[in-house]
Amino acid sequence: MRKYSDYYPVIKKEILSPGILKFTFEAPEIAGLARPGQFVQIRTSDDYFPLWPRPFSIYDADKPKGHFSIIFKIFGCGTSRLANTDTSDKVHILGPLGNGFDPPAGQNKLIMAAGGVGLPPLYFLSRVSVENGYPAEMITFISGARTKKELFEDGNLAGLNMKLITCTDDGSAGSKGTVVDILQSELADDPERTVYACGPGGMLKKIDMIIMAKRLRGYLSLEELMPCGYGICSGCAVKTRPAENRGSTDDNRDYHLKRVCVDGPVFNSGEVIWD
């Protein structure tokens, strides 16, 4: 797929909560091609520190306006530098990258399971699905984080009229519990679902086990460090099962190495071998 590499201006900067920001860029080429689940690589400085760009999931894209946005949490030096960028400043962006999600097919009920920074690609997928005619009442969106302050929410989710469930580990917002807890509860009431998930590796591993045990269809978007974004450095490689072995938990069989940046970040349930 075609990708673009250039300096693009920040046209809007919003602080959603302490340490969580939303940036909107004017980048017609990227906005015009962006699909839910894809990401961009942003170089947060023009010097040698930090050396590598940082990956950010695309939260939304407006093709007619030529805008796209990201939501991110300040973790270290790279995201701290980006957070200090001012409106109208230009930053170097490469994208869109990765395979993205396939649009939901049929009329099967969907569950979006978003843990913390995993919300952006699932919001984008939900928004596009509803806009393209998928019934909002067929979608359940679970948004979870450790605390209320760490929730990635800017008010747009509620506007999609899906069933929205918020949860936090400490109970400071929504239901007390994890995304995995809520997912298990939802599947107990209605197991015939297709599951889309994005979040920390530990959460994705548990969700993958649930999907396989219940023999459901599911798709997982991995969060990995992706230094180059082109698949050259192989710093984001993960072990995967060949298609014929995806229903098995025997990880001693033959495996393939796939690079998250070019072969993912979206993988089928049962495909990734979790360490």
Side-chain angles (χ1 to χ4, degrees):
M1 177 177 286
R2 192 170 184 180
K3 57 183 71 70
Y4 291 87
S5 177
D6 206 345
Y7 284 85
Y8 296 101
V10 179
I11 60 171
K12 192 173 184 180
K13 175 180 178 180
E14 304 167 72
I15 299 175
L16 303 183
S17 64
I20 298 178
L21 298 91
K22 179 181 178 181
F23 274 30
T24 301
F25 301 92
E26 184 176 7
E29 300 90 349
I30 295 175
L33 294 176
R35 295 174 50 216
Q38 291 188 303
F39 66 98
V40 294
Q41 292 277 87
I42 298 180
R43 184 171 292 281
T44 58
S45 77
D46 285 329
D47 55 33
Y48 293 105
F49 183 80
L51 177 62
W52 295 106
R54 298 295 190 262
F56 297 91
S57 295
I58 297 173
Y59 170 73
D60 206 355
D62 188 326
K63 185 176 181 179
K65 291 183 179 179
H67 300 167
F68 83 90
S69 56
I70 62 172
I71 297 180
F72 66 97
K73 181 178 180 180
I74 299 175
F75 279 113
C77 61
T79 47
S80 293
R81 288 201 175 199
L82 181 60
N84 289 326
T85 302
D86 293 323
T87 304
S88 78
D89 285 349
K90 291 186 175 182
V91 295
H92 189 272
I93 305 176
L94 169 66
L97 301 170
N99 58 357
F101 293 104
D102 290 330
Q107 293 296 308
N108 198 25
K109 292 183 179 180
L110 312 179
I111 292 186
M112 308 289 176
V117 295
L119 183 143
L122 296 180
Y123 166 78
F124 193 8
L125 175 63
S126 299
R127 200 270 297 166
V128 169
S129 298
V130 172
E131 188 176 89
N132 289 340
Y134 208 92
E137 62 271 17
M138 301 282 283
I139 305 174
T140 297
F141 198 109
I142 305 169
S143 175
R146 289 184 297 180
T147 69
K148 180 179 179 179
K149 292 182 179 179
E150 296 182 18
L151 284 170
F152 272 47
E153 168 54 329
D154 69 345
N156 287 333
L157 274 173
L160 295 180
N161 297 317
M162 305 176 293
K163 179 181 179 181
L164 176 59
I165 303 174
T166 301
C167 61
T168 49
D169 293 0
D170 64 358
S172 55
S175 301
K176 184 175 182 179
T178 67
V179 171
V180 175
D181 295 334
I182 303 300
L183 176 65
Q184 288 178 314
S185 177
E186 287 292 306
L187 290 175
D189 292 337
D190 185 356
E192 297 301 319
R193 311 284 191 100
T194 298
V195 180
Y196 295 82
C198 185
M203 182 196 94
L204 292 182
K205 179 179 179 180
K206 292 176 182 178
I207 289 177
D208 200 17
M209 298 302 105
I210 293 170
I211 294 172
M212 287 195 291
K214 293 182 177 295
R215 299 184 181 277
L216 303 177
R217 181 182 290 113
Y219 305 92
L220 311 176
S221 181
L222 272 60
E223 297 175 353
E224 295 287 334
L225 292 175
M226 295 179 272
C228 72
Y230 278 109
I232 297 173
C233 72
S234 295
C236 60
V238 294
K239 292 181 181 179
T240 64
R241 299 180 182 89
E244 62 271 19
N245 293 340
R246 287 180 192 165
S248 170
T249 57
D250 181 2
D251 295 338
N252 294 317
R253 302 187 184 197
D254 292 338
Y255 64 85
H256 300 153
L257 284 176
K258 289 189 177 181
R259 297 157 296 175
V260 175
C261 64
V262 293
D263 300 312
V266 178
F267 292 88
N268 290 293
S269 177
E271 187 173 1
V272 175
I273 296 175
W274 305 97
D275 293 327

